[in-house]
Amino acid sequence: TSPFAAAAGGLAAYTALVAAVITPLDPYRTGLPVQAEASRVSLAGAVLRLPHDEARATAEMLAVGERLGVTRETEVLDLTGASPGVVWAWGARPLASAWLIGGYPGSLAAARVAIGPKSCDLTRALVLWAPGQPRAIPAQVLTPWHVNVPKDYRVVASFPRVTVPATRTQPTATVESVMVLEPVSVKPQGCPGS
């Protein structure tokens, strides 16, 4: 065999090793290897192995969804830019997208385009809100429909969100709060009854 073929074979073997062994044991952006993550959380019949802080936050987030009676019919608009998966974990339906991310040029406009076709559903959708998050969608995202976050809503719950995964160099995660808002006086312009 040629040196090129041998190198290609070696690269293929290394890639297979990373994909099959190293990545599952030390996933991207998790900080600590999976073996060190001792806490377990049940979600939709699966068991997640998570760092202690993330497991506690996940359990609290799931409990909030249960306490609020979130179902498949519940629509949720996630403006946090930092809570991917919450809508699905609750078994709810995303209002516009399961996760809108801000902080980039054009993020606000893109979020408005995604929300537009569903704007009349704002009258009944829960909103996940975490102002001050660097990737949050700004509250003024709903102003084209004359909806004011947080004025037109009330906080019905909150849950912690682990913002920085524990790493070998920073063993403690930072925990911040995500507020769950329920519409109180939401009457989107251009919708029946507004």
Side-chain angles (χ1 to χ4, degrees):
T1 57
S2 73
F4 179 74
L11 180 60
Y14 175 75
T15 302
L17 174 68
V18 168
V21 179
I22 297 171
T23 301
L25 296 178
D26 193 7
Y28 177 68
R29 284 194 172 183
T30 60
L32 299 173
V34 172
Q35 309 91 295
E37 300 172 0
S39 296
R40 296 170 188 254
V41 177
S42 294
L43 173 64
V47 177
L48 307 176
R49 292 178 64 184
L50 301 170
H52 300 299
D53 289 338
E54 290 181 37
R56 189 171 29 260
T58 300
E60 287 184 47
M61 175 270 297
L62 292 170
V64 163
E66 190 172 316
R67 189 173 70 248
L68 292 175
V70 173
T71 69
R72 287 184 183 153
E73 301 307 311
T74 306
E75 287 186 291
V76 179
L77 176 60
D78 182 358
L79 298 179
T80 67
S83 303
V86 171
V87 175
W88 302 119
W90 279 354
R93 290 184 309 148
L95 180 101
S97 175
W99 182 38
L100 297 170
I101 188 164
Y104 296 100
S107 294
L108 180 61
R112 286 178 173 158
V113 167
I115 294 166
K118 301 287 284 175
S119 61
C120 293
D121 292 347
L122 289 167
T123 59
R124 63 180 175 273
L126 296 175
V127 173
L128 301 180
W129 194 48
Q133 291 291 332
R135 297 288 175 233
I137 298 294
Q140 63 264 33
V141 69
L142 302 180
T143 56
W145 301 282
H146 298 272
V147 175
N148 184 314
V149 176
K151 187 180 143 216
D152 294 337
Y153 294 84
R154 70 181 175 111
V155 177
V156 291
S158 66
F159 57 87
R161 185 186 80 74
V162 177
T163 58
V164 177
T167 64
R168 290 175 187 92
T169 57
Q170 183 180 347
T172 315
T174 304
V175 178
E176 294 179 0
S177 184
V178 172
M179 290 177 270
V180 182
L181 307 177
E182 178 180 72
V184 174
S185 58
V186 174
K187 296 180 175 107
Q189 183 180 22
C191 297
S194 59

